[in-house]
Amino acid sequence: MPKRRSLQTGTPWVELSTTAADWKAADPELLATMLGQLHLIRAFEETVLELAAESLVHGPAHSSIGQEGGAVGSIVGLRSTDAVNGSHRGHHQFLAKAITHVSGGRLDLGNLVTPDIRTVLRRTLAEILGLAEGYCRGRGGSMHLQWFEAGALGTNAIVGGGAAMAAGNAWAQKHSTPAGGSSDLTINYFGDGASQIGSVLESMNLAATWKLPVAFFIENNLYGVSTHVSEITADTRLSVRGQGFGIPGWRVDGMDPLAVHLAMEEAAERMRAGEGPAVIEAEVYRFFHQNGPYPGSAFGYRTKEEEASWRARDPLERVATEMTKLGLLDEATSLALRESVQAVMAEVTGELVEADPENPGKRRIRPELWPDPGFVDVGIRGDGSELEALRALEPARYIGAWTDVKFVDAVAGVMDRRMEQDPRIVVMGEDVHRLNGGTNGATKGLAKKYGADTPGEGRVLGTPISENAFTGLAGGLALDGRFRPVVEFMYPDFMWVAADQVFNQIGKARHMFGGDNPVPLVLRTKVAMGSGYGSQHLMDPAGIFATAPGWRIVAPSSAADYVGLMNAALALQDPVLVIEHVDLYGAADTIPEGDLDYIIPPGTAAIRREGSDVTVISYLSMVGHSLEAIEQTGIDAELIDLRWLDRASLDWATIEASVKKTNAVLIVEQGAQGTSYGGWLADEIQRRLFDWLDQPVQRVTGSEASPSISRVLERAAIARTEEVVAGLERVRTGMGSR
């Protein structure tokens, strides 16, 4: 028989509940503040459901009625500089943080609705209704509520999508000035459904490894829409989720706001002391369906008896009852409090809606409060004005001395220079701190100068293989504003593991939350076609990123261009994808001697060869292949190296001038047809310049398939000089007798 012994994780896991003594010992001002917040949030949510029933809420109305105790209990003791982000059901989280901020954490039940609190109620309701005066100018609605000044980082419509960004905010708090960081903390709220999601668990692991002051707060309301928690996990004890990562857990009755507050106090003490993250599971219950003004029993997935049993534990009634027992509240005061907040919400509603003159007995949104339709595309990216004070240089026109370098050494060199000049830059990714510069040498020397031996410390951070977590963490870091993260993806294909963070979170964050908040993040990756790594390592991501809102894209074909483009990327207040190519890394190249500080701004393509027969448009290594093909065919082609690829940064002046001269276009890229950048660009050129084209826009791409491991099949799947030659010959055929 094998020898066996029981093992313990060594990580605390406790259930916390209150006693009569706890209520007696509680600060009466704290209890009054909790009761006031509960009343404000309850009346607000009832108003939202009322408006939703009248079809005045466009989109979902995810009410938090019944769940308020978890948010109020956990937030009432926070500072304004502490932060929260939340789930799609986040009205109560947002309001609790905003009210705590404007009130200084103390409410007077005799004068509950101050002008500042009234403004919070009105602007939050306006946002949910999609109006211009909302916190996100009507773009966020019910599921995207953000107010940085109050420490409300943004609620999130992607289940589990905010966990990594909360970890990023916590990293910024820990490492901000003064030296040693602040003692601020961040709380990430999510539900039972998100407790099994990979990005949440990855974020827990990363937060524990790097000892970040972030609480993973699980509002377990038992149902993901209509699916019971017991149907989605074998272990419904959600507060154990952190045990495998060494994170202590608290389980608490979320219908008891004081119990939640006491649990958060214990967890906060640990986080503020630098001991790392916490998991808190608050058992709560939403009194209504996932969305709208009807109970879950109306849809058949809950019984009326179950709902009644939870309603008997209403957190608002619990606090009122306990305060009454202690002589801190009487029935008349309680009733007056309820009536006063209902009256204020009726006033606020009356300021946003009016009688509908075309439908007697119905109401409508006041027309003058809608956003201007012209605002629709404002704030997808910044305007780039931050680059105006920087020195631009065009390497093709540089007449000074040059230094011989390998392309990859220019990559590492310009990053070293910027990190030396800008202490906000933080580099992270898999193996960037090892192997003398990562797998290709692109971060050579950086770890030695800017790294640290302790995981998560220093400015060169080697990450776990957790693309969702470290990408989202970088997104949270960028939104915080005190740091400039640079994320390396070893191969572009790995970015689709983190697609939620890349596209739903980072790419949309500025626009979705109103258009004002910068997202200064650089994402580096390399195209490796021809290296034999197969279908899941070799793609060109340009085509997909070009069709995704929010991102800028650069694709350098030379070391000198790389320096200027990377400097611009690191100065912009937008997320920028920097695409490199493995074929260029080892190439002998040159850069201006002693100069790593110039920029190449958006909207500046380069003409690599002038000509009159056809405009060839390319980027990365295919610029070189295009030059070879032009020489082989003898066609007098004009070759444009795009350098900036995104919609907002393309140099249309150079493209248009060339096409009006040549009347023919050949777009050249190396990768697959399906994810092609050229497909989008060809459509844009046809629509803009149709009258100047003597033949359809021609394209050179790889095949439909992703490149294979076989050397022969890989070569057949990608484009190089021979394919460009064939493309030029098609253009020559299309010229006819010209």
Side-chain angles (χ1 to χ4, degrees), residues 309-542:
S309 69
W310 280 93
R311 280 184 175 273
R313 298 168 56 193
D314 189 328
L316 194 155
E317 295 300 326
R318 175 68 187 273
V319 175
T321 299
E322 296 291 350
M323 289 181 68
T324 300
K325 290 179 184 176
L326 294 168
L328 301 174
L329 186 73
D330 57 45
E331 185 175 349
T333 302
S334 184
L335 181 61
L337 194 61
R338 169 82 167 148
E339 291 175 347
S340 69
V341 294
Q342 287 178 321
V344 168
M345 285 309 306
E347 290 174 7
V348 167
T349 302
E351 294 164 4
L352 302 178
V353 305
E354 64 183 9
D356 186 345
E358 297 179 1
N359 294 285
K362 294 188 176 182
R363 296 188 291 181
R364 69 175 186 181
I365 303 291
R366 293 182 180 271
E368 68 273 15
L369 301 181
W370 290 113
D372 185 329
F375 185 59
V376 62
D377 286 335
V378 174
I380 296 174
R381 303 168 189 82
D383 61 8
S385 59
E386 58 269 29
L387 301 182
E388 291 173 359
L390 302 180
R391 177 173 57 90
L393 181 146
E394 175 49 65
R397 293 193 290 271
Y398 176 70
I399 58 174
W402 293 82
T403 298
D404 294 333
V405 296
K406 285 185 177 180
F407 187 104
V408 75
D409 291 335
V411 173
V414 71
M415 188 59 65
D416 182 15
R417 175 64 172 168
R418 293 279 67 78
M419 293 184 77
E420 181 180 76
Q421 297 288 311
D422 188 349
R424 298 173 300 166
I425 295 175
V426 179
V427 174
M428 67 183 72
E430 296 158 4
D431 291 302
V432 295
H433 63 321
R434 302 291 188 205
L435 306 175
N436 194 28
T439 53
N440 291 96
T443 53
K444 184 178 180 180
L446 301 184
K448 187 174 182 179
K449 290 182 68 173
Y450 309 106
D453 293 332
T454 304
E457 300 299 317
R459 295 167 56 208
V460 178
L461 309 176
T463 66
I465 302 174
S466 301
E467 286 84 1
N468 254 303
F470 69 72
T471 305
L473 184 144
L477 204 56
L479 282 165
D480 174 83
R482 288 173 282 191
F483 295 91
R484 277 188 176 274
V486 178
V487 180
E488 178 182 305
F489 272 81
M490 202 177 290
Y491 295 96
D493 310 66
F494 298 175
M495 288 190 287
W496 314 128
V497 179
D500 173 44
Q501 299 298 330
V502 170
F503 299 116
N504 277 327
Q505 311 297 342
I506 295 166
K508 295 177 182 177
R510 180 195 282 264
H511 183 268
M512 178 171 72
F513 289 124
D516 294 324
N517 299 323
V519 190
L521 180 148
V522 168
L523 195 162
R524 289 183 46 247
T525 193
K526 65 175 183 289
V527 175
M529 295 178 196
S531 64
Y533 271 72
S535 296
Q536 295 176 334
H537 283 66
L538 302 183
M539 75 174 297
D540 177 353

Side-chain angles (χ1 to χ4, degrees), residues 561-575:
D561 278 6
Y562 188 94
V563 171
L565 293 170
M566 177 55 83
N567 282 332
L570 286 169
L572 281 164
Q573 294 294 317
D574 299 315

Side-chain angles (χ1 to χ4, degrees), residues 126-137:
E127 184 58 47
I128 291 170
L129 293 176
L131 307 183
E133 68 180 85
Y135 284 100
C136 302
R137 302 185 184 180

Side-chain angles (χ1 to χ4, degrees), residues 14-15 152 204 278 339 370 373 416 418 468 498 507 522 552-553 582 586 593 609 617 667 706 738:
V14 300
E15 183 173 71
M204 286 183 182
E339 291 175 347
W370 290 113
D416 182 15
R418 293 279 67 78
N468 254 303
V522 168
R552 294 186 188 264
I553 311 166
V582 71
E593 185 176 296
R609 184 190 189 279
I617 302 174
I667 300 172
S706 300
R738 198 183 72 173

